[in-house]
Amino acid sequence: MLNWRRRVAIRDHLAEANLFARRVIVALVMVVVLGTILALNMRGLQVDKHQDYQTRADGNRIKVLPIAPNRGLIYDRFGRILAENTSFYSLEIIPEQVDDMDELLAELTELIPLEADLIEDFSKNARQQRRKFKPVVLKSRLSEEEAAIIAVNQHRLHGAYIEARLKRHYPYAELTTHAIGYVAKINQKDANNLEMEGKTANYQGTDDIGKLGIEKYYEDTLHGQVGYQEVEVNNRGRPIRTLSEQPPTPGQDLVLSLDIEMQKVAKQALGERRGAIVVLDAKDNGILSIYSNPSYDPNLFVHGISSKNYKALLSNKDRPLINRATQGRYPPASTIKPHIGLLGLESGLITTKTRIWDPGYYQLKDIEHKYRDWKAWGHGWVDIYKAIEESCDVYYYDLAVRLGMDSISEFMSQFGFGELTGIDIHEETSATMPSRDWKYGRFRQPWYAGDTISIGIGQGYWTATPIQLALATSILANEGTHFEPKLLKTTKTQTGELPVPAIDRKPVEIKSQRNWQIIKTAMEGVVVKPTGSGHAAYRDVSYKAAGKTGTAQVISIAQDQEYDADEIEERHRDNALFVGFAPVDDPQIVVAVIIENVGGGGKNAAPVARTMMDYYFAHYPENF
């Protein structure tokens, strides 16, 4: 058997060299291509997109924080501060920085007392939070001890911080609530309104906004302009260094025409009784005092009122949340008799010599019903002077019927009845100046002569607010001049105080200027004549005053019944009213008073009005 040896092939070195060269070329090409791609990518990252990535990096390192402006302060006419900004410590949480919110809240509850309402409100606000990494208040107004406890344990409370903040404070509390109002946390409705008005950017960093009164009406003036701060932050989002800053522009300070000491007098004069007082500067209708009783402490709302306290205000049968001076709708009663008397003179239906017989009641022709006078046995023969001085109802029953409702409604509208007065707070009602069209639109009923009779003494469908009564009295005292009542007196700027000019409306024009004097003389008789309905309250005054009392029925009394306050539920008793001005020859002050359910305008409201006038003449001697 043959033994064959395996033949060994001779290696082709040339082919191997060519294969190696090809592989090297391919590898080199791949290296060049990949290197080119890498170089292009590096250029894109470091050159072309440098600014973009630099911005992103800075976004992680640098934050632009809004700086809320300091809210403008509010002063009374003599520089006494009515609304200020006070500092406090607040416990705040940034939800995005918290791993386990329930655990964090449990730890905080162990350290300081946290009521269930606070935690519930915090959770609600956190859910509604639009901006990320914005702190949400858990508890404001921390005590120094609570702030210290949180600070000591800060290292284990990730996402919770102690911040020093400024909040509004009203040093006179309920004394100024219905005039100044208050600020409170911006809610969803406020946020939507700001967005629609294009003001959202200016409220970055701002938690509060004006809710009522002056605080709301002059919100744009008081708020100021937001500033910004560019800061470098750490990995926890906390600022470590300020890079640049654009300071905010603080809100402007406001000086009101209010006299806070006169406010105190008004509160004391009303005591525990429900009612309202309005005092105007007769020269421009600047509001010296406007007080509604009962009131409430606005500071409760600034830091977030508790559900318990809010429910207590809502359920209070005395309705302290209502500003009676601008929102209370009351029959004006006999306080409007001077105005109707003026219309009678202007129309030529009466003169100073016109007299009617008052037997104590009035009857329409062919109607058995008797419209009673407040004085059962009547006033006898009555002219325009006696009708106003003694507040004779029968005289005005007769005059109203002869005037007709159309002329009464049209004339009274010129004095501001049935319209907004223009006072610089939003919480105002126009009340009701009735007319034929108004009644048909409201009740689908025609106007009857009996309706006009009630209107003649300020009853029936006619309602007015105390601020309207004060304005109408001011127009009469100033013989037709009509200024809108205003709370704002001046605005403080960097260069000084900028006075707010009085806003005048179309004056009330009459045919005979003498008629003004006739009515004013009759109103003077109300407090001067021994038989005047306001004489007892104004006996021995040192100044010449004029006024008109009013007693308004709250419920109807049957014709065969007598009014007996002791037999009527307290809230169904008559309201007491008084309007007046002084001095008669050169009016400086106008006062309107209403007190609910006490009866007797001359007995109860007139003394309050005199108290306000006495204070004015004792403390404003420079005007005389």
Side-chain angles (χ1 to χ4, degrees), residues 463-483:
T463 61
T465 63
I467 188 69
Q468 286 177 334
L469 292 175
L471 174 60
T473 304
S474 172
I475 295 173
L476 195 153
N478 287 292
E479 302 185 359
T481 301
H482 182 168
F483 289 112

Side-chain angles (χ1 to χ4, degrees), residues 141-374:
R141 290 186 293 181
L142 295 176
S143 66
E144 293 186 2
E145 181 181 356
E146 290 173 336
I149 291 173
I150 298 297
V152 169
N153 293 276
Q154 185 74 67
H155 63 283
R156 62 187 183 89
L157 301 174
H158 299 298
Y161 307 98
I162 297 293
E163 296 289 351
R165 302 287 187 188
L166 288 178
K167 277 283 188 181
R168 208 57 153 178
H169 178 252
Y170 304 98
Y172 294 99
E174 71 276 0
L175 201 60
T176 57
T177 302
H178 291 113
I180 294 178
Y182 59 82
V183 300
K185 183 177 177 60
I186 297 175
N187 57 30
Q188 191 59 50
K189 181 180 178 181
D190 298 323
N192 293 339
N193 290 337
L194 290 173
E195 187 172 352
M196 286 190 297
E197 295 170 4
K199 300 178 181 178
T200 301
N202 195 40
Y203 279 79
Q204 298 297 320
T206 299
D207 295 323
D208 299 327
I209 193 170
K211 297 286 187 174
L212 290 174
I214 287 291
E215 291 279 27
K216 181 178 182 180
Y217 196 91
Y218 293 106
E219 170 63 28
D220 291 343
T221 303
L222 289 165
H223 178 261
Q225 295 294 318
V226 69
Y228 293 94
Q229 188 178 57
E230 194 176 65
V231 299
E232 186 175 2
V233 297
N234 59 18
N235 60 347
R236 295 176 60 189
R238 299 296 290 173
I240 58 176
R241 184 163 63 98
T242 299
L243 302 178
S244 63
E245 181 176 324
Q246 178 182 336
T249 302
Q252 296 181 5
D253 296 342
L254 304 182
V255 179
L256 306 186
S257 56
L258 279 180
D259 178 349
I260 194 60
E261 293 300 321
M262 189 178 286
Q263 284 285 97
K264 293 179 181 179
V265 174
K267 176 179 172 61
Q268 185 176 7
L270 282 177
E272 299 299 319
R273 299 174 295 184
R274 298 180 300 276
I277 297 175
V278 177
V279 182
L280 303 179
D281 182 336
K283 295 303 180 183
D284 59 6
N285 282 352
I287 299 174
L288 298 170
S289 177
I290 181 168
Y291 182 71
S292 173
N293 198 60
S295 185
Y296 59 95
D297 186 354
N299 294 301
L300 293 172
F301 287 86
V302 175
H303 292 272
I305 189 169
S306 67
S307 299
K308 179 181 178 181
N309 287 335
Y310 190 57
K311 287 179 181 178
L313 288 174
L314 286 176
S315 60
N316 190 325
K317 62 181 180 180
D318 290 333
R319 304 177 72 190
L321 293 174
I322 298 296
N323 183 355
R324 285 169 162 80
T326 59
Q327 295 175 304
R329 304 182 183 193
Y330 304 97
S334 296
T335 60
I336 50 80
K337 287 178 178 176
H339 300 81
I340 293 182
L342 178 64
L343 176 58
L345 292 170
E346 276 292 291
S347 65
L349 291 178
I350 61 172
T351 68
T352 54
K353 297 180 180 180
T354 302
R355 298 194 306 166
I356 71 166
W357 176 256
D358 172 18
Y361 61 88
Y362 176 80
Q363 283 182 287
L364 290 168
K365 185 178 180 181
D366 300 327
I367 300 295
E368 293 184 4
H369 182 83
K370 294 182 178 180
Y371 296 88
R372 297 178 300 182
D373 194 290
W374 68 267

